[in-house]
Amino acid sequence: MEQKIREQLEEHFPKNLIKQRDSGFGKFDYLATATVIQRLNDVLKSDWSFEVVEHIRDEYEIAVLVKLTVGDIIKMQWGSASIKCKKNSTKIISLGDDYKSATSDALKKAATLLGCG
């Protein structure tokens, strides 16, 4: 990867794009998936792709392995999400949303391997 592209991917994000979430262990900073995708599109001129390679589901969690490809560079990373159920119930709210969350998590983690975020 060209040094200039790497530097553009590694540029700090403006503070207004950095979100905060309470994890139960304290607050942590994160970027919205759309923000990371926009950076990849802007810097790489949309010349990148990703695919879900594998997914695992148990009773409580989904894990997704994605492959992020930029030219001849391939980065793979796992992401996960808890399966959300209705309060005081085992009825799942939206399994599709949980898979999407795990996939988004994996994509953002793979993008960090390129220096993005």
Side-chain angles (χ1 to χ4, degrees):
M1 179 177 296
E2 293 178 29
Q3 182 65 25
K4 180 182 176 186
I5 291 173
R6 179 73 184 203
E7 289 171 0
Q8 290 173 331
L9 287 170
E10 290 177 349
E11 282 181 16
H12 290 285
F13 285 87
K15 288 191 184 289
N16 66 318
L17 295 178
I18 300 172
K19 313 281 186 195
Q20 279 201 330
R21 182 179 319 167
D22 190 355
S23 68
F25 299 104
K27 292 187 179 196
F28 69 94
D29 295 338
Y30 72 97
L31 293 167
T33 305
T35 300
V36 173
I37 289 171
Q38 189 63 54
R39 172 68 58 89
L40 293 171
N41 284 339
D42 290 346
V43 173
L44 302 171
K45 310 296 185 236
S46 299
D47 191 19
W48 64 278
S49 65
F50 88 99
E51 65 181 284
V52 173
V53 175
E54 184 177 350
H55 59 85
I56 301 168
R57 175 185 168 202
D58 68 17
E59 189 176 349
Y60 305 104
E61 187 175 43
I62 294 168
V64 174
L65 177 65
V66 300
K67 178 169 74 170
L68 175 60
T69 305
V70 178
D72 61 349
I73 297 170
I74 295 173
K75 301 293 184 184
M76 297 177 73
Q77 190 59 267
W78 286 94
S80 65
S82 297
I83 295 174
K84 280 112 188 126
C85 295
K86 291 186 178 184
K87 192 171 187 174
N88 299 322
S89 170
T90 59
K91 182 163 175 59
I92 296 171
I93 296 170
S94 174
L95 197 55
D97 285 341
D98 299 329
Y99 273 103
K100 182 190 72 64
S101 294
T103 303
S104 295
D105 183 45
L107 173 60
K108 290 189 290 185
K109 287 177 178 177
T112 65
L113 299 176
L114 294 174
C116 182

